[in-house]
Amino acid sequence: SVTYASPGTILIDILEDPLIRNVIILQIVLQEVRHRSAPVYKRIKDAIHEKEKHFYTFTNEHHRETFIEREQGESANDRNDRAIRVAAKWYTDHLAKKTDGGSLKVVLLTDDRANKEKAEQYGLIVYRCEEYIKSLIGNPELMDRLALQPDDQNEITGSKLLFPEHLPLSRIQSGIKNGMFLQGTFHANRDNYLEGKVFINREGEEINEVLLQGLQNLNRAVHQDVVAVELFPKERWVAPSSVVLQDDSPNDEDAEEDETENKLKGVPSDPSVLKPTGRVVGIIKRNWRPFCGMLSQSMIKEATRHLFTPADRRIPRIRIETRQAANLVGQRIMVAIDGWPKNSRYPNGHFVKNLGSAGDKETETEVLLLEHDVPHQPFSQAVLSFLPKMPWSITEEDLKVRADLRHLCVCSVDPPGCTDIDDTLHCRELENGNLEVGVHIADVSHFIRPGNALDQEAASRGTTVYLCGKRIDMVPELLSSNLCSLRSNVERLAFSCIWEMNHNAEILKAHFTKSIINSKASLTYAEAQMRIDDGTMKDDITKSLRGLNRLAKILKGRRIAKGALTLSSPEVPFHINSETHDPIDLQSKELKETNSMVEEFMLLANISVAQKIYDEFSECALLRKHPSPPPLNYDILIKAAKSRDLNIHTDSAKALADSLNNATVENFPYFNTLLRILATRCMMQAVYFCSGMDSDFHHYGLASPIYTHFTSPIRRYADIIVHRLLAVAINADSTYPDLMDKHKQSALCNNLNYRHKMAQYAQRASVAFHTQLFFKNKGIINEEGFILFVKKNAIIILIPKFGLEGAVFFDNKDKPSPHLSFDSEGPTLKVEEHTFRMFDKVKVTISLDASNIQHQRIRMALIEPVIPGVSVPVPESEPEAKKPKLDC
């Protein structure tokens, strides 16, 4: 059969199933989907590109026999429904002629009742979507993928009213206009399902966030929904709760929340930390997506209704109907929300896809990529079609328009195993006694031309994502690891930034050129350092490295003197088994002078290019800024230093940098590192922006008035745009409209910032999963650590050896809690007779708690200091944790 999908309900989860083939989607339907939902539109386009599915679009609006005019008095929607019927009738007649009487039947699918009745009168074969799916005998799993219609949702929920009615959009809009309501984005609390915040979107609004507490006030808002909130009077404002609450109510009935909400309200509110508080009165835009998680099977035998628990703790549990619950237990699955009636404790949804067994490495990697919205499907044929044909070589035309720098002694310095080499450097002495220093960056923009499918895919992905033992490329491997990678002893296209400097690293001249290079060596940081340190080596590569290293030290000293921050991260990378891809040990991240050497010249190139493109294009330069943190961000840092009788000054980046440099404690060498780790947590996120849409360009962390990203175009799309801007600035390439449109540049920056943030979160999730794998068969390990944060009922501990953070809780529901006394000024926590402060040294046990397969976690228990009834005894056979391996 050939099937039409009508815009009443586009069942994308059904359409993506391999069983569904031979589908024609009308142009008019596709346009409607594009208008309603960009993600669903993309999924349909992807299905159309899968050859084996035989999905096609029919341009009915441009076909003489199917185009229709809108009749007098006819609504646009009725006209579109009629156009669908006309196209279906034409296709039925057309296929009847082509197949001698019509062995192929055309079936029209629509959930619009009036459209269905008129189609039947028209003599068409027509089904409601649910009717058609039920008619496909032998495929019951397809029924699970059906979205619940409003009527069905009311059937499976109780009659008791659990939530206030949402206001209609017209009332919401007028309420926002007259100041009665505020509009913002809802962020659920990961640790407390009865609490969330709404971040107010409007600039100039006095209140920028509103606290919500309790199910009634959350009123069916789901994380990332755009909502309207009503602010309570000041006497009803409360403080954020410090209680950790997970929704563990029974899974086969709507639980009473009174007792739990009383617990929440029973937390005393410190008047100094009261927040504007309110309630959700309506939903402006739902931002639902398919969610990954696991099925909690109903305790009722033969039940078809079950609760789904999402992997993301910020998402509520979802009630679904499935006939394959027994097969889905222990599996990671995807579920989509269909609606959330006011008489239902949970939203209703439907099964989308089985991802595989929980705990399996491939399955869990797929989950974290989906949950962090990382595009990771194989590159489509449309994208790959724009790659250069192999064998590829540099042409005579390239030689005519580029600087030939193949004679220069350039080399790359990277981590071991790096295949996507973005940058090379050189340094040589000129006849006039000055130095020539060059940074040569892969010319990715030569291969990726504006607006084609390859460019659109790279722009959508935004960044390469590095997971433990896996890389999700922004561009196809032919470019990332071959033609754009500046490997040694092959000719490559580059974009060069070349300075003439004196021996004090002061720039006398700078110029930019498209070039051709031939790298003389691909070195690791360790290999480059060995050459620099080995006095017997006098070759050109080593001389170049020594010159670069000497200049880099001067540049770094100058940056630090201006107030550039040197912060710290506790992360320790894993050593991955090359065959099983399991984490088998930890690598010590030993930084060498050569790490700093490369970093200094990358920073210098980025700053030089930023100034050049801004000078040429003041309205549309793509730049990167790092906003100064608000003073409140530093409170915890100042308190931590004060607990050791030290002062931290935060008036400027330089004041902070100087304070950190001077913050040392006798016989406590790790103290300064802890302080820098804490300072990192106080920082704002650096972001891309368009120069014509902002006035504050300053990069706080680098103490630079202007900055951009130019040096990594293989793995960052922002750098490709900067390359294009620079190429136009030096007349090496032509411009195009979107490049000079500040509004489009700004929209692009928003996507790049989002992708960059999600890539960071995905990387952290990958580290967390591999940490669990690492500790899976280790039993209980005893290690020393330091208290990073003090909470009302717990201490957060950093284990430097593993770069691991975990909590020791003191209010255990399985045994009587010790006497706790929390002082927010310290902050300190007194447990019985012992007082814990930030940065105190402790000893803990570390083990993997796998009791909840979906939310496995590292559990810590206190060994020292010894507090009777709280500390655990040292296990009899204390395993010696291996010393970390050298970085390899």
Side-chain angles (χ1 to χ4, degrees):
S1 68
V2 179
T3 311
Y4 278 89
S6 167
T9 303
I10 294 293
L11 298 174
I12 184 61
D13 298 321
I14 294 282
L15 292 177
E16 286 177 329
D17 192 284
L19 290 167
I20 303 297
R21 300 182 178 194
N22 304 325
V23 175
I24 295 173
I25 301 173
L26 296 179
Q27 171 197 7
I28 197 169
V29 172
L30 208 53
Q31 286 170 342
E32 178 71 8
V33 174
R34 187 176 194 172
H35 172 70
R36 289 190 189 185
S37 172
V40 172
Y41 174 76
K42 185 180 185 305
R43 288 167 70 185
I44 289 180
K45 292 290 281 184
D46 288 344
I48 291 167
H49 286 132
E50 286 184 46
K51 288 185 178 177
E52 63 278 5
K53 283 186 72 68
H54 302 292
F55 272 44
Y56 305 97
T57 50
F58 175 48
T59 52
N60 62 298
E61 296 289 79
H62 299 287
H63 186 66
R64 186 174 53 213
E65 294 178 65
T66 56
F67 173 76
I68 60 168
E69 296 280 2
R70 186 170 162 185
E71 294 175 352
Q72 193 171 358
E74 187 177 39
S75 71
N77 191 56
D78 286 345
R79 181 262 170 205
N80 290 347
D81 283 349
R82 187 162 59 88
I84 290 168
R85 296 192 295 273
V86 167
K89 182 73 170 77
W90 177 84
Y91 230 109
T92 301
D93 296 342
H94 172 72
L95 287 179
K97 292 175 192 171
K98 295 287 182 184
T99 57
D100 297 326
S103 57
L104 276 177
K105 303 294 181 190
V106 173
V107 177
L108 173 64
L109 296 187
T110 178
D111 278 342
D112 185 310
R113 190 171 294 168
N115 193 22
K116 182 174 184 290
E117 288 173 1
K118 288 176 182 176
E120 286 169 339
Q121 292 165 11
Y122 210 45
L124 295 170
I125 303 171
V126 57
Y127 286 94
R128 282 180 59 237
C129 297
E130 186 179 349
E131 289 173 339
Y132 182 72
I133 298 305
K134 283 180 177 175
S135 74
L136 300 176
I137 300 166
N139 299 298
E141 68 276 10
L142 276 178
M143 284 299 296
D144 288 352
R145 294 189 173 206
L146 276 171
L148 287 173
Q149 301 302 309
D151 291 347
D152 301 328
Q153 293 190 42
N154 290 331
E155 279 177 28
I156 67 169
T157 56
S159 56
K160 181 183 174 186
L161 199 65
L162 298 176
F163 296 100
E165 188 86 60
H166 285 149
L167 297 179
L169 202 54
S170 57
R171 287 223 14 224
I172 290 171
Q173 287 168 339
S174 63
I176 291 169
K177 197 172 180 180
N178 64 30
M180 187 183 296
F181 305 138
L182 296 171
Q183 175 178 327
T185 305
F186 173 67
H187 285 235
N189 186 328
R190 194 186 299 274
D191 298 317
N192 187 337
Y193 75 101
L194 294 176
E195 186 171 276
K197 288 179 182 175
V198 174
F199 291 94
I200 306 306
N201 302 335
R202 190 190 296 177
E203 281 187 24
E205 198 70 59
E206 192 178 325
I207 292 170
N208 54 22
E209 68 178 59
V210 177
L211 180 68
L212 311 176
Q213 283 189 348
L215 283 178
Q216 294 274 312
N217 296 328
L218 294 172
N219 197 8
R220 296 170 283 156
V222 176
H223 183 65
Q224 293 288 5
D225 282 350
V226 179
V227 300
V229 289
E230 179 183 44
L231 207 59
F232 291 152
K234 283 193 176 181
E235 56 268 22
R236 290 182 63 189
W237 289 9
V238 297
S241 170
S242 60
V243 175
V244 175
L245 287 176
Q246 301 300 332
D247 183 6
D248 54 3
S249 51
N251 69 359
D252 56 354
E253 58 182 88
D254 289 333
E256 292 292 334
E257 297 297 326
D258 295 347
E259 187 185 335
T260 313
E261 297 215 18
N262 284 336
K263 258 197 239 175
L264 180 69
K265 291 169 186 171
V267 178
S269 292
D270 179 350
S272 66
V273 290
L274 295 181
K275 298 284 185 187
T277 310
R279 68 185 183 101
V280 171
V281 294
I283 308 293
I284 295 168
K285 186 187 176 204
R286 289 289 194 190
N287 275 319
W288 295 341
R289 59 176 173 83
F291 300 105
C292 302
M294 296 183 73
L295 195 71
S296 304
Q297 194 172 9
S298 172
M299 307 300 285
I300 302 170
K301 205 174 179 183
E302 306 301 324
T304 58
R305 291 173 195 161
H306 309 269
L307 281 181
F308 163 83
T309 304
D312 187 341
R313 291 187 183 275
R314 295 168 300 187
I315 306 301
R317 292 201 279 175
I318 302 163
R319 185 186 283 106
I320 68 167
E321 286 209 36
T322 177
R323 295 146 194 81
Q324 48 180 332
N327 297 330
L328 296 179
V329 171
Q331 301 288 297
R332 288 284 202 172
I333 64 174
M334 287 178 78
V335 161
I337 298 178
D338 299 322
W340 196 342
K342 58 183 180 290
N343 52 351
S344 173
R345 167 66 182 82
Y346 300 109
N348 297 320
H350 65 275
F351 168 80
V352 173
K353 190 178 184 183
N354 187 348
L355 299 170
S357 298
D360 174 75
K361 204 169 331 133
E362 288 299 314
T363 302
E364 295 301 331
T365 300
E366 177 75 4
V367 167
L368 76 86
L369 290 171
L370 288 167
E371 281 296 290
H372 294 98
D373 196 16
V374 175
H376 61 285
Q377 298 306 316
F379 290 101
S380 70
Q381 283 305 313
V383 168
L384 298 175
S385 70
F386 285 96
L387 291 174
K389 302 293 180 281
M390 297 299 287
W392 174 88
S393 62
I394 290 167
T395 65
E396 286 298 319
E397 185 59 33
D398 292 327
L399 287 166
K400 284 179 192 171
V401 297
R402 290 173 178 267
D404 188 348
L405 306 181
R406 289 175 290 181
H407 62 286
L408 291 180
C409 191
V410 307
C411 67
S412 61
V413 184
D414 290 288
C418 180
T419 61
D420 51 346
I421 301 171
D422 285 289
D423 54 271
T424 57
L425 305 102
H426 88 273
C427 175
R428 63 174 181 165
E429 193 159 335
L430 298 173
E431 289 180 2
N432 63 9
N434 290 330
L435 298 170
E436 179 186 86
V437 177
V439 167
H440 313 276
I441 305 300
D443 189 4
V444 181
S445 62
H446 172 84
F447 297 97
I448 301 180
R449 303 308 296 164
N452 67 24
L454 178 56
D455 182 48
Q456 289 172 7
E457 183 67 21
S460 171
R461 293 187 178 215
T463 181
T464 292
V465 180
Y466 295 90
L467 307 179
C468 294
K470 187 181 180 74
R471 188 179 83 198
I472 315 295
D473 282 330
M474 181 184 81
V475 298
E477 192 176 17
L478 179 64
L479 297 183
S480 65
S481 296
N482 188 349
L483 301 184
C484 292
S485 185
L486 305 181
R487 300 181 300 182
S488 55
N489 302 313
V490 290
E491 294 180 355
R492 287 290 179 255
L493 302 180
F495 210 149
S496 298
C497 174
I498 300 171
W499 304 277
E500 183 177 334
M501 291 182 176
N502 62 24
H503 286 263
N504 198 31
E506 292 167 334
I507 297 171
L508 306 174
K509 289 180 192 170
H511 80 276
F512 310 94
T513 181
K514 294 258 187 167
S515 62
I516 301 170
I517 63 166
N518 188 325
S519 173
K520 302 303 182 278
S522 299
L523 304 174
T524 65
Y525 292 118
E527 288 168 345
Q529 191 67 52
M530 184 190 70
R531 280 174 173 267
I532 290 167
D533 295 341
D534 186 346
T536 64
M537 299 191 76
K538 308 285 188 187
D539 59 281
D540 287 345
I541 293 172
T542 305
K543 284 181 190 173
S544 178
L545 288 168
R546 286 186 186 132
L548 289 165
N549 197 41
R550 189 182 65 77
L551 292 170
K553 289 177 181 177
I554 298 170
L555 289 168
K556 184 172 184 178
R558 202 174 287 152
R559 270 197 319 110
I560 289 171
K562 285 181 182 174
L565 296 173
T566 305
L567 300 176
S568 191
S569 162
E571 289 175 9
V572 178
F574 287 105
H575 177 66
I576 304 288
N577 184 304
S578 59
E579 292 181 5
T580 65
H581 301 289
D582 285 336
I584 53 176
D585 217 327
L586 295 154
Q587 307 171 13
S588 61
K589 204 170 183 179
E590 187 186 342
L591 293 178
K592 301 178 183 297
E593 282 184 357
T594 45
N595 290 77
S596 181
M597 176 190 81
V598 173
E599 181 186 14
E600 286 306 316
F601 286 107
M602 296 306 109
L603 293 175
L604 190 63
N606 287 335
I607 291 167
S608 297
V609 170
Q611 193 61 59
K612 177 69 175 176
I613 62 173
Y614 178 65
D615 289 345
E616 294 288 334
F617 308 111
S618 61
E619 287 293 297
C620 57
L622 191 154
L623 303 175
R624 187 164 176 82
K625 68 174 181 176
H626 183 213
S628 306
L632 277 175
N633 280 31
Y634 288 123
D635 278 3
I636 192 70
L637 180 68
I638 292 167
K639 286 177 180 178
K642 196 171 279 186
S643 72
R644 305 287 165 159
D645 298 320
L646 293 168
N647 290 319
I648 295 288
H649 300 287
T650 59
D651 309 335
S652 65
K654 177 153 178 57
L656 176 60
D658 291 344
S659 297
L660 290 172
N661 291 338
N662 296 326
T664 57
V665 172
E666 200 174 340
N667 300 321
F668 192 173
Y670 199 66
F671 173 79
N672 191 264
T673 303
L674 285 168
L675 212 56
R676 290 180 191 275
I677 289 169
L678 206 55
T680 306
R681 310 286 171 93
C682 301
M683 294 297 126
M684 304 290 283
Q685 182 78 39
V687 291
Y688 297 110
F689 69 101
C690 176
S691 59
M693 304 291 281
D694 209 324
S695 57
D696 176 18
F697 294 6
H698 189 73
H699 197 292
Y700 181 81
L702 297 173
S704 176
I706 194 166
Y707 191 67
T708 194
H709 273 163
F710 165 75
T711 54
S712 294
I714 293 176
R715 61 184 177 89
R716 291 187 307 230
Y717 188 76
D719 302 53
I720 292 177
I721 294 295
V722 169
H723 276 227
R724 289 174 182 169
L725 287 163
L726 184 60
V728 175
I730 64 169
N731 297 314
D733 206 345
S734 54
T735 187
Y736 57 99
D738 283 7
L739 193 66
M740 298 295 145
D741 186 327
K742 65 180 181 181
H743 298 286
K744 288 190 175 172
Q745 286 280 49
S746 188
L748 173 65
C749 287
N750 290 339
N751 180 61
L752 296 180
N753 291 330
Y754 170 73
R755 291 296 187 203
H756 182 72
K757 180 174 68 177
M758 294 319 255
Q760 285 184 318
Y761 292 163
Q763 284 158 218
R764 288 174 198 164
S766 179
V767 169
F769 174 63
H770 280 77
T771 301
Q772 291 166 10
L773 289 180
F774 179 76
F775 283 103
K776 191 173 184 179
N777 301 313
K778 298 280 189 229
I780 299 176
I781 291 176
N782 307 317
E783 258 318 319
E784 289 185 338
F786 298 95
I787 297 175
L788 205 52
F789 298 103
V790 176
K791 301 290 185 183
K792 287 185 178 180
N793 63 340
I795 49 176
I796 310 300
I797 295 164
L798 170 69
I799 310 294
K801 183 173 182 177
F802 300 119
L804 178 68
E805 282 179 45
V808 172
F809 289 96
F810 297 113
D811 54 350
N812 194 326
K813 62 183 178 184
D814 299 327
K815 60 181 182 180
S817 295
H819 176 70
L820 304 177
S821 177
F822 178 71
D823 177 9
S824 59
E825 280 307 303
T828 61
L829 178 65
K830 190 173 183 182
V831 181
E832 296 295 347
E833 295 305 313
H834 184 88
T835 301
F836 290 102
R837 299 181 302 163
M838 291 178 72
F839 300 168
D840 280 356
K841 198 173 191 177
V842 295
K843 192 169 189 179
V844 295
T845 65
I846 308 170
S847 59
L848 178 67
D849 178 2
S851 57
N852 181 335
I853 191 169
Q854 172 154 250
H855 294 126
Q856 295 186 42
R857 62 194 181 107
I858 301 297
R859 188 179 288 281
M860 292 185 184
L862 189 70
I863 299 175
E864 295 175 5
V866 176
I867 304 172
V870 174
S871 301
V872 297
V874 181
E876 285 181 21
S877 55
E878 179 179 325
E880 277 293 317
K882 283 186 186 175
K883 291 291 180 193
K885 282 189 180 177
L886 208 60
D887 193 358
C888 57

PDB file of all heavy atoms in Angstrom, residues 535 750 778:
ATOM      1  N   GLY A 535      70.346  18.640  25.416  1.00  0.00           N
ATOM      2  CA  GLY A 535      71.296  19.630  24.908  1.00  0.00           C
ATOM      3  C   GLY A 535      72.087  19.170  23.711  1.00  0.00           C
ATOM      4  O   GLY A 535      72.685  19.992  22.995  1.00  0.00           O
ATOM      5  N   ASN A 750      23.964  31.029  19.336  1.00  0.00           N
ATOM      6  CA  ASN A 750      23.099  30.369  20.327  1.00  0.00           C
ATOM      7  C   ASN A 750      23.197  28.853  20.201  1.00  0.00           C
ATOM      8  O   ASN A 750      23.288  28.132  21.206  1.00  0.00           O
ATOM      9  CB  ASN A 750      21.651  30.824  20.168  1.00  0.00           C
ATOM     10  CG  ASN A 750      21.453  32.265  20.590  1.00  0.00           C
ATOM     11  OD1 ASN A 750      22.257  32.825  21.337  1.00  0.00           O
ATOM     12  ND2 ASN A 750      20.387  32.890  20.112  1.00  0.00           N
ATOM     13  N   LYS A 778      36.285  -3.630  41.892  1.00  0.00           N
ATOM     14  CA  LYS A 778      37.352  -3.257  42.818  1.00  0.00           C
ATOM     15  C   LYS A 778      36.992  -3.557  44.281  1.00  0.00           C
ATOM     16  O   LYS A 778      37.834  -3.416  45.163  1.00  0.00           O
ATOM     17  CB  LYS A 778      37.664  -1.761  42.702  1.00  0.00           C
ATOM     18  CG  LYS A 778      38.157  -1.318  41.339  1.00  0.00           C
ATOM     19  CD  LYS A 778      39.624  -1.631  41.169  1.00  0.00           C
ATOM     20  CE  LYS A 778      40.148  -0.983  39.898  1.00  0.00           C
ATOM     21  NZ  LYS A 778      40.900  -1.829  39.044  1.00  0.00           N
TER      22      LYS A 778
END
